[in-house]
Amino acid sequence: MSKAVENVLNNKDAKATDYFELVNIYEYSDLSVHKDGNTILSMSINQFNEVCDGYEFSQKCSTSHFTIEESDVESVTGKMLDGMDTCLIEINMKDGSRVSVCIYHTDTNAKREVRERFYESDVFSLMDYLNDDTHKVMLVNIHDAFGLEIKLNDIKNCSLVETEEAYEMEIDSMTFPLVDDSCNEIYIKENSSCDTILIRPYGQPFLEISIFVSKKNSN
């Protein structure tokens, strides 16, 4: 069990939002809605936001979301499942339904930008960064939360191209859409000789592109 989960579960005065904010720490969680013994909705999530009079659970960089009204909530509880590094949050609704949120691998599943010292960037800054002649892309790692992993080295082209509708991230023969900043996530971690860029492109809420960049001395 991670310290963040432990702090919430051990807090007798924890509010609903304290439980729900745990979703924002981890790569992915599963949300399901149950009523009368049936599962009526199931979706993976990786973002929580408190909205007007309610709570929104969603998939980043997409339009997929599930919202509940605060006034419809009867109670919120949380616990660790026996023998598993999984936190179960249960939201009991006044209509008799139950919303469950399972957060898996709480010791190892934290988002990279949470674990490490990244700062948030944007499409325009990324374009300027990649156009800088002192920056050379050395390695690209593409992976998602469900086991996909592609490693690329000897990169011939890594650039951000403006199109009529948006921007496209081109990595050799692969292309990923980047639209306005509210639909993408871009992070950068700077070091003296090598930087790391993290990108979550639009429409791929669980996909992460890691770009490792060597910095040459411009003098």
Side-chain angles (χ1 to χ4, degrees), residues 161-176:
V161 178
E162 187 173 4
T163 67
E164 291 183 2
E165 297 180 354
Y167 294 86
E168 289 183 346
M169 186 79 202
E170 294 184 353
I171 304 174
D172 285 347
S173 62
M174 293 183 291
T175 301
F176 302 92

Side-chain angles (χ1 to χ4, degrees), residues 176-192:
F176 302 92
L178 296 182
V179 290
D180 75 56
D181 288 329
S182 63
C183 299
N184 315 294
E185 288 197 330
I186 301 170
Y187 298 92
I188 298 177
K189 182 176 72 171
E190 293 184 331
N191 289 301
S192 58

